[in-house]
Amino acid sequence: MSLTVRIDPHVHSEASYDGTDPVELLLEQAAEIGLDAVVVTDHDVVHESVRAAELAPVYGLVGIPGVEVSTADGHLLALGVEEMPPRRAPMDETAAWVRDRGGVAIVPHPFQRSRHGVRKRNLSGVDPDAIEVYNSWAFTGWKNRRARRYADANGYPGVAGSDAHKVGYVGRAYTEIEIEDVARAELTSDVVLDAIRDGATRVEGRRTPIPTSARHYAGAGARKSGWYAKYGAYKSGALAKTGALGAARMLYRLSPLSQ
């Protein structure tokens, strides 16, 4: 029995300096478009990813924490960790740190120096668990093809990630993982990470048909508007409650009962 799992391992929330949306929206979008897991990999902060992993089962998803850490040689995705890896350390040391804690180290958008991708001469000694061979934000397909050739030549599993910084782009690229002898009810973070290490991955990053994209982005926009409307109502109610309590305390202090 084989189980196909679809995961977007490279997504950013509002905790990233260049992200825009809360993890609740990212999880909702992932569930809506049929993913089994999404890893929030914010830049050099891990707290919202840990929270997203805790919330994921509520959305019917597998919870996997992670982070995109800035190493001395470029960015590195650390999947399955709940604490920050050391920043600005050599990439090979950071990858070893991740593996020592049971995580999976993935090199994202390699060779794309404008996006802090590692140079080829620095990647040769890293020995990651996988290479991101399809990043949906690559300006052209050249760097993705180059990453694929490098992964194939060196025997590394290839993964695809959306690198989404907005909710509508979640799942624009994703990784399919074939897992043997596991029922969906038994699916855990550890099972998914082990399958990535074993190379049971298939990249899905083909251009989405425009009508499908339009539906997904429209749905994401509606969910975003609805979420912020509910959040605004909650904040307004909380502020009103705070104001009412403050007014009540003020009246009490001015009343004879407080003397």
Side-chain angles (χ1 to χ4, degrees):
M1 180 182 66
S2 176
L3 178 66
T4 301
V5 176
R6 296 172 178 84
I7 172 176
D8 187 344
H10 190 177
V11 171
H12 296 273
S13 79
E14 61 185 358
S16 288
Y17 68 88
D18 51 359
T20 62
D21 296 310
V23 298
E24 290 87 349
L25 270 179
L26 304 179
L27 294 169
E28 188 172 349
Q29 175 72 355
E32 181 69 21
I33 63 176
L35 295 178
D36 298 290
V38 61
V39 187
V40 175
T41 51
D42 288 319
H43 292 293
D44 297 317
V45 291
V46 74
H47 61 284
E48 281 299 274
S49 183
V50 171
R51 191 169 74 87
E54 293 171 349
L55 288 172
V58 176
Y59 296 83
L61 304 172
V62 178
I64 306 173
V67 62
E68 184 169 11
V69 59
S70 300
T71 77
D73 304 304
H75 286 175
L76 181 73
L77 297 179
L79 273 57
V81 300
E82 296 186 353
E83 58 182 307
M84 265 301 299
R87 293 186 62 197
R88 306 300 178 190
M91 185 176 283
D92 61 338
E93 294 180 11
T94 308
W97 185 98
V98 173
R99 285 193 293 271
D100 286 346
R101 285 154 181 80
V104 165
I106 300 175
V107 176
H109 44 72
F111 320 131
Q112 298 182 38
R113 293 304 298 156
S114 62
R115 303 175 63 210
H116 308 287
V118 63
R119 294 179 184 274
K120 184 176 181 179
R121 65 172 180 265
N122 296 328
L123 180 55
S124 59
V126 173
D127 194 25
D129 294 298
I131 302 285
E132 186 181 67
V133 300
Y134 194 99
N135 179 291
S136 69
W137 282 107
F139 186 69
T140 68
W142 160 242
K143 293 295 174 66
N144 281 333
R145 290 193 294 273
R146 187 181 175 195
R148 165 63 82 180
R149 287 197 298 272
Y150 182 90
D152 289 346
N154 292 277
Y156 292 118
V159 303
S162 69
D163 200 356
H165 288 69
K166 296 182 179 180
V167 63
Y169 295 97
V170 171
R172 190 170 182 174
Y174 61 92
T175 304
E176 282 194 349
I177 306 171
E178 292 296 325
I179 304 177
E180 300 292 336
D181 302 321
V182 174
R184 189 164 297 275
E186 302 169 332
L187 196 60
T188 65
S189 172
D190 288 340
V191 170
V192 173
L193 296 180
D194 283 343
I196 294 175
R197 293 187 193 96
D198 292 341
T201 60
R202 183 168 59 249
V203 169
E204 291 295 335
R206 293 186 297 273
R207 191 177 300 278
T208 305
I210 291 176
T212 302
S213 297
R215 287 195 298 272
H216 283 175
Y217 299 157
R223 284 187 286 279
K224 182 172 182 176
S225 298
W227 190 90
Y228 279 108
K230 288 187 288 186
Y231 182 72
Y234 166 78
K235 291 292 287 185
S236 297
L239 288 173
K241 182 178 179 180
T242 301
L245 289 172
R249 283 194 291 268
M250 178 64 73
L251 289 173
Y252 176 77
R253 285 196 296 269
L254 294 175
S255 74
L257 294 174
S258 66
Q259 305 304 316

